[in-house]
Amino acid sequence: MTTSMAKAPNVRAVETPGQRTVYSMCGMCAVRCPMEVTVEDGRVTWLQGNTKDPAIGASLCAKGAAGLAFEFDDQRPQTPLIRKGPRGGGEWRRVSWDEALDYIAEKLHATIEQHGARGIALSDRGGPFTDLTRTFIHALGSPNYFNHDATCGGNVHNASRSLFGFSHAELIFDLKNTKHIVLYGRNIVESIMVKEAKAFMGAMANGMKCTYIDPRASVTACKATRYWQVRPGSDYALNLALIHEILKQEIYDREFVAKFVDGMDALREAVATTTPEWQEEHTGITADQLREFVREIAVDAPQVVFHPGWMTARHKQSFYVSRSTLILNALMGNIEIPGGLIMGKSPAQYDRKGLNALTARVAPVEEPRVDGAGSERPTWDPAIGMLHRLFAAMETGKPYGVGAYFAYRHDPLTGMPDREAMLHAMEHLDLLVSIDVRYSETAWQSDVILPESTYLERANILFQANGPVPVFGMRDQAIAPRYDSRPAWWIFREILRRMDIKDTLDFESIEEIWDYQLDGTGVSIADMREAGMAVLAEAPRFIARDEIRFRTPSGKIEIVSDSLLKAGLPALAPYSPHTAPTGDAFTLLFGRPATLAHGQSLNNPILRDIAPEQELWIHPDRAGPLGITDRASVEVQGAGKYRGTLKARVTPWIHPEAVFMLHGYGATVPLATRAVGVGVADQRLQGGKLDEFDPAGGGCALTETIVRVKPAATGGLQP
Amino acid sequence: MSKYILQHDEPNCIGCRACEVHCTSNKGLGPGPSPCKIVSAGPVDVDGQPRMHFTFMPCFHCEEPWCVKACPTGAMQKREKDGIVFVESSICIGCKSCITACPWGTPQWNPETNKVVKCDFCMDRVDAGLKPACVTKCVTGCLSFGVANEVPDPRRERYARFLLAEAAREVESDGSDKP
C-alpha cells in the first residue's frame, strides 16, 4: 500500500556537491531563529543567523552554535524502535519504518474502536509548524491537539484574547523606540530569543530604561535600571496598585482610552482600594517606590511597554497578572505607535494572499475537546488546549477516555509537573508514541520512538508570521539524514495513509506541499530559497488611530469580556494573598541559563561542558537558622517522594520566601549518558501540581510549589 | 602586540557564552578546550542594584609572547605580517610548555589531538576578509574586531547616546510640568 520505505524523502538539491548556503531555522530550542547553513560537499561546516534578516544578522546563541555538536552526536534514536518489556524498562527492538507505522496504525484502530477517534491526542511545542500537526490530528477525527502552553504562555495567550481578541504574540515590541520597558520575570538575556535580546541590549545602550520585577535577580535584573525583589507570586497586587495610581493621577492616555477601551468603570471598581499603601505588605515594594516609578513612566509615556511575559504558568492568578499587564499597556496608549506595541498584520492588510493552510484540507471536528477548552472553559483557546487536562482524562476516563497519545518533539515528563502522576495516567494508554530527535524522558517511556530527522536534515512546511510586515519563512533541508530518520510531514502522511485517510496529506515531496501552500501568493519556492523568507511588503504601515479595530465583539479592548462572563469569572479578580512559608519551607522558583533549553540541551557534548552547576539559591536570613552555609550540600523535597541534593548558593539576590534552581536537570535516560543523573529535576519536586492550574487562563500553577530544604546528611561540608 | 584589537564592550555583554561555542564550533573542538572564555561574577551590589561582571578572555597576542619563547619545536609562532600568535599543529608535540608559560592561561589542551589549540583570531577568516567567529556571531554585538584605532570605541558612542536620551527626558519632563 505504500511507496518505497528505503530512502528518506530528501529535497532535490540536498546532494549537490561543492559549497552552498541553505536557509534554515535553528532547532536547538523552540524559538526557531532564522539561520544560514554553509554546506560543503554534503557536510555542514558553518551555522550563523540569517543575515538577510537584519533583526538577527549573523548572531546565534550558544545553543544554536552547538547545533554542529548535536548533528554529529550519535546519542539519538537512529531507527524506529518498538518497546520490549515494560514501559520505561529500556528494552527496545529496532524495526523498519513499515513495521513501526503498521504497529501504530493497528493500535490507533483499537483506540478508535474503544474510545472513538477523539481518544487520540497529540502535543507539540507550538510555534510556526503547527498547521501540520493540527491537520494530522483533525484528519484522524480528533479535536485533541495541544501545544506546550499549559507550562508556558497559555495564561498570557488567553488573557490577551480576552482583552484584544488576539494572542499577545501578535503584539510586537518596537524596542528601538521604547523609552521604558517593564519586565515581570521575563528574563530576556537568559531565556534568549536572539532577536529580542539583541534589540533589548541595543535599546538599553540607547538609553532605554528597564524595570525588572522578580523575586530573584537574574542576569536581566543585572542589566536593568531598576530591580524590584518582590514577594513570590505578588505581581498581580503590584499591577492592581499601579493601575490604581495611574488612574488616580490621570497619567493615562485619555484619548486612546476613551476611543478604544470598553469597561473603564469595571476597571476603576476593581482597583478602588488597591492603593500603593495596600500593596506594600503583599509585594514588599514601598508606596514611595511605586509612586516614584509612576512619576517616571508618566514622563516616558506613551513609549512605555509592560511585557506581558511568555512563561506565565506560575500561579492561580497568572491570567490576571497578564491581563492587568496588558491593560497597563492600553492605559499608556502605546498600541500601534513607534516605541510601543505594533499589531501583527495579515498579508490581506497589505493586499497580499497568505499561505494556503493544510488544515483547510480537513473538515472541522465537531467533537468537544477533552479539556473543555472553548466549551466548559470559554476562556481557554481550543486552538492550543491545556495539556494537564489530557492527563486528567487519561487517568479518569472523563469526560471521555484517551487511548493514544503522540508526543511530537515535546517532552511532557520534563516540561510538565509531577512525573509520577503523569506516568500513572499514561498507564491507561494503549499507545504512546514519541517522535523526536533525541532520547527524551517521554520517549524512554513510550511504546514506539520514531526518529525525526534533525532540523539540518529535514525540511518543514512553510510558515507565515504576521508581524508589522507579514513574512513567509522556510526551513530548507541542508544535508541528508545520517540515520534512518524521516521528516515530520512524511511520518504523519504515512500514518494517515495507513488509516485510509489518503487525501489530506497526499503529497509526494515537501516541494509539493510548498507549492500547495504558496499557490496564488505570488511567491515561488525559488523566491523562498533566495533568502529563506519572503517579506510581503516594503515597509511597515501603521494603522491610522481612527481605524484601529480589535478582534473583540465590540472592536474595542474589552475590560469586561464575554468569555469571562460566560465562565463566571470577574474582569479582574480580587487579589489572593499568599502566606509566607516559614521554617524549612520555601516557594520553589525555577529558570534557565543562556546555554540550556529546558531538558533538551544537557546531553549535548558542548553544552554539557559549559552548563552551569545547578545550585539552590537561598537567602542568608533563611539559610542561617537552618544551618545552611554557602556551597554546602542541601536536600530538597517537594510534596511527593522525590528529593534531590545540590549545592546551596547563599545570596541576598533571592527573596527570603523562595528558593531557586535551574530547570532541565535530573534526566533519567541511560542512553543520554552526559545528562543522566546530573542535578535535580525541579518538575519532580512539583508533586500534586498536575491538577493545579489557573482556572481563567488554564496554565499550571508551578510556582505555588512548596519545598522543604535541609542540610544534606552526607554533604560532609557542614562546619 | 598584534595590529588588531578584539574589543569586549562589557556593558553590552550578557554573559551568554555564545562566543565560546562559536569559537569551539569553528575550530571543530569537543568538550574541554576553550580558546576564548567568559568569566562571570556576581550578582554584586552596586548602589543597591544587582550587577554581574563579565570578563572576556581570548588571547592577547602579546608583543613578546612567553608561549612562543617556551615552545621547543617552533610550533607556537607570531605571524610576521600582523602579529597574530598561533600554533602550527603539525609540529606541536603536546609538551604543554606554552600552557605553563602563558600568564593568562590562554593556550588550551585538546584531548582529541593531544596537542595545543589557541585563539588565533580565526586567522583563516581574517585572511579571507572576515571577522573571528566569536565576533561574527555574538548575540548582542558586544565584541568588535579590527585594526586598532580603526574600530569605533562603543563606550564613547554609548555615553554620548545616553546623554542625549537623558536630555530628551528632561525636555519632556519640563514640558509636562507646565500648565
Side-chain angles (χ1 to χ4, degrees):
Chain A
M1 73 189 261
T2 48
T3 51
S4 166
M5 297 277 122
K7 206 168 175 333
N10 294 323
V11 297
R12 277 192 289 276
V14 82
E15 317 240 292
T16 311
Q19 182 177 317
R20 62 205 183 89
T21 298
V22 179
Y23 291 97
S24 179
M25 292 165 71
C26 186
M28 297 298 286
C29 82
V31 174
R32 303 168 177 99
C33 293
M35 67 190 299
E36 295 172 27
V37 182
T38 305
V39 180
E40 288 175 36
D41 294 328
R43 192 178 164 90
V44 177
T45 55
W46 176 261
L47 303 172
Q48 67 175 29
N50 185 346
T51 53
K52 300 272 172 69
D53 182 346
I56 191 163
S59 299
L60 281 184
C61 77
K63 291 158 288 181
L68 282 181
F70 167 69
E71 180 58 36
F72 297 126
D73 187 10
D74 296 342
Q75 290 190 9
R76 53 176 158 116
Q78 300 176 7
T79 69
L81 297 168
I82 294 183
R83 174 174 61 84
K84 297 194 288 184
R87 280 207 181 120
E91 284 188 85
W92 300 95
R93 202 157 56 81
R94 287 177 172 236
V95 297
S96 67
W97 278 94
D98 267 332
E99 186 177 346
L101 296 165
D102 287 345
Y103 178 86
I104 289 168
E106 190 188 313
K107 292 282 185 180
L108 288 179
H109 280 302
T111 292
I112 293 170
E113 189 92 346
Q114 195 185 344
H115 302 284
R118 65 187 187 176
I120 305 169
L122 177 145
S123 69
D124 64 18
R125 297 168 303 154
F129 306 123
T130 59
D131 188 26
L132 179 70
T133 38
R134 289 177 213 270
T135 300
F136 169 69
I137 206 75
H138 292 172
L140 286 168
S142 171
N144 292 313
Y145 162 83
F146 299 83
N147 74 8
H148 70 177
D149 275 342
T151 50
C152 191
N155 283 325
V156 59
H157 173 85
N158 287 327
S160 181
R161 290 173 71 244
S162 77
L163 268 179
F164 302 127
F166 52 74
S167 172
H168 68 299
E170 293 188 45
L171 290 169
I172 294 95
F173 289 71
D174 178 29
L175 290 184
K176 204 174 164 194
N177 299 301
T178 299
K179 293 180 184 162
H180 198 137
I181 186 169
V182 184
L183 303 170
Y184 302 77
R186 168 68 198 121
N187 190 2
I188 288 179
V189 304
E190 288 187 280
S191 287
I192 292 186
M193 303 196 279
V194 174
K195 289 185 191 181
E196 184 190 41
K198 206 179 178 73
F200 173 77
M201 291 306 293
M204 292 299 287
N206 278 334
M208 179 176 75
K209 290 187 177 176
C210 173
T211 294
Y212 182 82
I213 301 157
D214 190 335
R216 179 189 75 110
S218 65
V219 177
T220 306
C222 297
K223 291 294 169 185
T225 39
R226 172 190 284 107
Y227 168 56
W228 278 347
Q229 187 182 73
V230 290
R231 289 186 60 208
S234 68
D235 33 9
Y236 183 41
L238 183 74
N239 274 359
L240 290 174
L242 284 173
I243 295 173
H244 173 99
E245 195 60 16
I246 286 166
L247 292 180
K248 188 178 166 196
Q249 292 190 22
E250 297 201 331
I251 63 154
Y252 60 95
D253 184 334
R254 272 165 285 187
E255 198 192 327
F256 181 86
V257 166
K259 209 174 269 176
F260 297 111
V261 182
D262 213 16
M264 283 300 285
D265 291 344
L267 183 64
R268 286 178 201 283
E269 197 187 312
V271 300
T273 59
T274 61
T275 62
E277 281 73 19
W278 164 83
Q279 62 82 46
E280 282 184 334
E281 63 166 323
H282 300 303
T283 67
I285 302 302
T286 67
D288 285 348
Q289 285 176 300
L290 190 143
R291 288 201 174 91
E292 188 195 327
F293 166 77
V294 170
R295 274 196 297 277
E296 210 175 277
I297 61 169
V299 174
D300 285 340
Q303 278 82 23
V304 178
V305 295
F306 293 80
H307 198 304
W310 287 98
M311 208 309 286
T312 46
R314 290 180 179 148
H315 52 77
K316 294 195 197 78
Q317 291 197 314
S318 281
F319 172 90
Y320 288 115
V321 177
S322 298
R323 200 159 201 266
S324 51
T325 305
L326 292 163
I327 288 171
L328 283 162
N329 286 298
L331 294 177
M332 293 296 105
N334 67 19
I335 314 283
E336 202 66 3
I337 61 161
L341 305 178
I342 316 300
M343 292 164 78
K345 312 286 188 306
S346 68
Q349 284 170 280
Y350 288 90
D351 300 318
R352 296 290 298 262
K353 183 174 184 295
L355 291 179
N356 300 298
L358 292 168
T359 40
R361 302 166 67 90
V362 199
V365 179
E366 302 297 339
E367 199 77 49
R369 292 184 55 94
V370 76
D371 55 6
S375 50
E376 297 99 90
R377 303 278 186 181
T379 47
W380 298 7
D381 186 357
I384 65 169
M386 278 298 149
L387 189 57
H388 47 82
R389 292 301 86 197
L390 178 70
F391 285 97
M394 284 179 206
E395 184 64 56
T396 63
K398 289 174 186 160
Y400 51 80
V402 176
Y405 174 33
F406 290 86
Y408 169 51
R409 297 281 292 106
H410 184 213
D411 187 11
L413 288 179
T414 301
M416 301 281 290
D418 199 342
R419 174 190 173 97
E420 278 62 36
M422 280 184 281
L423 288 177
H424 195 269
M426 292 192 302
E427 282 176 20
H428 297 88
L429 291 174
D430 298 322
L431 178 67
L432 175 57
V433 180
S434 275
I435 304 170
D436 216 320
V437 296
R438 67 185 187 92
Y439 292 115
S440 73
E441 294 290 305
T442 308
W444 200 245
Q445 299 293 331
S446 294
D447 305 321
V448 185
I449 301 177
L450 298 179
E452 190 183 21
S453 302
T454 69
Y455 67 101
L456 295 167
E457 299 168 343
R458 74 173 184 263
N460 283 69
I461 61 170
L462 302 174
F463 75 95
Q464 176 181 317
N466 293 351
V469 169
V471 295
F472 298 158
M474 162 185 253
R475 176 189 275 154
D476 203 353
Q477 182 182 356
I479 51 171
R482 287 178 60 216
Y483 299 117
D484 190 16
S485 61
R486 295 289 184 273
W489 67 267
W490 184 95
I491 295 172
F492 291 130
R493 183 197 72 182
E494 287 301 316
I495 296 172
L496 290 183
R497 283 184 175 175
R498 280 168 173 74
M499 300 302 289
D500 281 325
I501 302 161
K502 292 182 177 154
D503 294 344
T504 309
L505 288 176
D506 186 24
F507 301 101
E508 288 307 317
S509 66
I510 191 71
E511 286 95 341
E512 272 188 29
I513 300 184
W514 292 343
D515 276 333
Y516 164 80
Q517 292 181 286
L518 289 169
D519 187 39
T521 62
V523 177
S524 68
I525 294 176
D527 296 336
M528 293 299 301
R529 283 189 160 142
E530 283 288 307
M533 58 184 179
V535 182
L536 299 188
E538 302 242 322
R541 211 159 45 204
F542 286 94
I543 304 171
R545 266 275 152 123
D546 288 344
E547 289 163 25
I548 296 178
R549 292 276 301 170
F550 295 91
R551 293 208 290 275
T552 51
S554 63
K556 294 185 175 186
I557 297 169
E558 295 186 345
I559 305 278
V560 180
S561 104
D562 279 350
S563 60
L564 280 166
L565 287 175
K566 263 189 237 160
L569 294 164
L572 286 170
Y575 177 65
S576 302
H578 304 276
T579 313
T582 56
D584 63 351
F586 295 83
T587 297
L588 176 65
L589 305 178
F590 56 86
R592 13 187 312 209
T595 54
L596 301 176
H598 312 303
Q600 76 177 87
S601 310
L602 203 57
N603 203 51
N604 181 291
I606 296 295
L607 297 176
R608 172 71 188 91
D609 194 38
I610 63 168
E613 182 187 6
Q614 195 190 29
E615 299 172 311
L616 190 78
W617 293 43
I618 184 169
H619 194 279
D621 291 353
R622 299 289 307 284
L626 294 171
I628 293 167
T629 52
D630 194 37
R631 299 297 298 157
S633 288
V634 289
E635 187 180 286
V636 195
Q637 182 159 16
K641 280 186 192 154
Y642 180 79
R643 57 190 168 182
T645 302
L646 67 174
K647 290 273 163 48
R649 176 174 183 170
V650 179
T651 168
W653 299 109
I654 174 84
H655 194 280
E657 290 172 24
V659 287
F660 168 89
M661 67 168 72
L662 291 173
H663 174 65
Y665 291 71
T668 68
V669 180
L671 289 188
T673 62
R674 305 175 201 100
V676 66
V678 178
V680 180
D682 62 300
Q683 73 275 11
R684 298 184 70 184
L685 294 168
Q686 295 161 348
K689 294 297 170 200
L690 191 60
D691 278 324
E692 292 194 24
F693 52 91
D694 183 322
C700 291
L702 300 178
T703 64
E704 291 186 8
T705 300
I706 299 293
V707 291
R708 298 192 177 274
V709 181
K710 63 178 182 185
T714 54
L717 293 171
Q718 301 309 309
Chain B
M1 308 287 268
S2 85
K3 68 179 194 181
Y4 302 112
I5 184 166
L6 175 46
Q7 290 184 133
H8 177 233
D9 180 27
E10 197 204 344
N12 198 23
C13 175
I14 57 174
C16 71
R17 305 182 70 179
C19 48
E20 295 179 28
V21 187
H22 296 315
C23 171
T24 54
S25 170
N26 184 48
K27 291 194 181 315
L29 302 173
S34 194
C36 72
K37 188 100 201 141
I38 288 280
V39 182
S40 304
V44 293
D45 188 327
V46 179
D47 300 329
Q49 293 299 311
R51 292 291 178 251
M52 296 277 291
H53 290 299
F54 305 114
T55 309
F56 179 64
M57 299 284 284
C59 174
F60 294 122
H61 298 269
C62 304
E63 182 60 27
E64 291 187 35
W66 294 7
C67 58
V68 171
K69 286 185 183 163
C71 179
T73 68
M76 192 67 80
Q77 305 168 36
K78 188 173 139 187
R79 206 154 79 147
E80 193 71 33
K81 67 173 179 180
D82 55 12
I84 287 179
V85 179
F86 70 102
V87 59
E88 174 50 57
S89 186
S90 63
I91 41 176
C92 173
I93 55 168
C95 70
K96 308 186 187 75
S97 299
C98 55
I99 296 178
T100 311
C102 174
W104 306 104
T106 295
Q108 299 284 299
W109 181 248
N110 183 354
E112 287 177 10
T113 58
N114 286 328
K115 294 181 182 199
V116 157
V117 60
K118 75 175 284 294
C119 164
D120 56 5
F121 284 159
C122 299
M123 61 185 190
D124 53 331
R125 290 180 57 82
V126 172
D127 290 345
L130 303 167
K131 298 198 187 292
C134 58
V135 175
T136 305
K137 299 196 272 184
C138 170
V139 168
T140 65
C142 73
L143 295 176
S144 51
F145 178 84
V147 174
N149 286 340
E150 286 180 14
V151 283
D153 190 321
R155 290 167 297 187
R156 287 178 166 177
E157 298 201 343
R158 182 179 47 248
Y159 185 61
R161 285 196 302 267
F162 171 78
L163 289 180
L164 285 172
E166 282 303 294
R169 277 198 176 92
E170 271 166 35
V171 169
E172 285 192 30
S173 185
D174 289 350
S176 67
D177 287 340
K178 284 170 192 161

